[in-house]
Amino acid sequence: MFTTVFFFITFIYYSDIKYKYIIIGVLTAVDAMIKPFFILFFLVIFILELVLKNKWVAVIKHSTIILFISMLCISPWIYRNTKLFGEFTPISNNSGIVLYINNNSQNNYGRWMPAENVENSIVTKKDYIKANATEKNRMLTVAAKKWIITHPKQFFMLGFKRLSNTYLSSDDVNYSIYGTGLSSNAQIALNIYVNDIKWLVFILAIISIIIYTIKTICNLMSRKK
């Protein structure tokens, strides 16, 4: 859903639809509800239009509209979270646990793992158990960032493993067929089929993205000259 909405935002941006920046603001809020970091999308528009147009008034106006509309759409949810936990809580509290279980010395495959399996896990500590969701999120984030700073090489390698698991591995299809009663042979065949499709689609897509990125950068540089 996140990717679908993001592609729709891209389509809207390059179209001549009226009030497109207001629409983008609403869609930014939708995607931010899925991935909270997306609330910063207005910065992408700011940088993009600054490079392409170099008109400060228009750039600031468009990026401000997107930020204002997206924050307006999300504000009821932020209010609900803040009132529930007794302190300012933007959008969600799951970023800390995601960062924690994906960045530790026991995660060898770049996949999901129980937080309790992390060595000297923070989730087993009394302070963590007594904390509310916002406090837990903060504690997990601090612990994960501390590990990342002291293990930069492992952090870098885990990032590549996660990308490989997402785009080049087919075993995520098992979640969709769990409990369906498919035979083992059918499951194996489906995994092979999905794996081949992923390799074909995503490798070609990655190559295309690299080529188009280089081409775009060259065009921008030629414009500057």
Side-chain angles (χ1 to χ4, degrees):
M1 182 177 177
F2 174 85
T3 305
T4 302
V5 174
F6 178 66
F7 283 154
F8 190 49
I9 289 173
T10 305
F11 169 75
I12 295 294
Y13 180 77
Y14 286 106
S15 68
D16 294 323
I17 297 175
K18 195 174 183 180
Y19 306 121
K20 68 178 182 180
Y21 291 100
I22 294 177
I23 298 172
I24 291 173
V26 174
L27 294 175
T28 297
V30 173
D31 256 1
M33 291 294 288
I34 303 170
K35 293 184 181 294
F37 70 81
F38 202 75
I39 195 65
L40 298 176
F41 182 69
F42 75 96
L43 290 175
V44 176
I45 299 299
F46 178 85
I47 295 171
L48 177 63
E49 295 202 344
L50 194 62
V51 171
L52 296 179
K53 299 180 179 179
N54 292 318
K55 295 179 180 179
W56 279 96
V57 174
V59 171
I60 294 174
K61 177 183 176 182
H62 296 160
S63 55
T64 301
I65 289 173
I66 294 173
L67 175 61
F68 176 77
I69 296 299
S70 59
M71 290 301 299
L72 184 65
C73 292
I74 291 176
S75 59
W77 185 249
I78 295 176
Y79 173 77
R80 175 262 182 195
N81 287 345
T82 302
K83 192 172 181 63
L84 179 64
F85 298 113
E87 59 179 296
F88 180 71
T89 305
I91 306 181
S92 75
N93 277 319
N94 75 326
S95 58
I97 189 66
V98 172
L99 198 65
Y100 187 70
I101 64 176
N102 279 295
N103 298 283
N104 61 79
S105 297
Q106 283 65 56
N107 193 324
N108 299 315
Y109 304 103
R111 295 177 179 271
W112 179 90
M113 64 172 289
E116 295 81 5
N117 290 355
V118 178
E119 184 179 2
N120 197 27
S121 178
I122 192 174
V123 302
T124 62
K125 307 298 182 182
K126 290 182 179 180
D127 290 343
Y128 178 88
I129 296 172
K130 293 180 180 179
N132 65 39
T134 300
E135 293 169 338
K136 288 179 179 178
N137 182 66
R138 190 181 303 118
M139 294 165 71
L140 289 164
T141 300
V142 171
K145 288 182 177 180
K146 183 178 180 181
W147 182 89
I148 291 171
I149 293 173
T150 56
H151 300 79
K153 183 178 179 180
Q154 286 176 265
F155 169 70
F156 186 74
M157 294 304 296
L158 281 172
F160 275 101
K161 289 179 180 179
R162 280 192 292 275
L163 288 174
S164 177
N165 291 332
T166 301
Y167 296 109
L168 300 178
S169 175
S170 64
D171 61 357
D172 56 347
V173 75
N174 294 327
Y175 292 106
S176 63
I177 61 177
Y178 179 77
T180 58
L182 285 177
S183 66
S184 297
N185 290 335
Q187 292 185 37
I188 293 172
L190 185 60
N191 271 275
I192 293 174
Y193 174 75
V194 172
N195 187 72
D196 290 345
I197 292 296
K198 278 196 170 186
W199 275 82
L200 176 64
V201 172
F202 286 114
I203 288 180
L204 289 176
I206 291 170
I207 293 173
S208 299
I209 289 171
I210 293 173
I211 293 174
Y212 190 76
T213 300
I214 295 173
K215 182 180 178 181
T216 301
I217 293 173
C218 291
N219 288 337
L220 289 174
M221 291 179 67
S222 63
R223 286 186 186 181
K224 289 291 183 181
K225 294 178 180 180

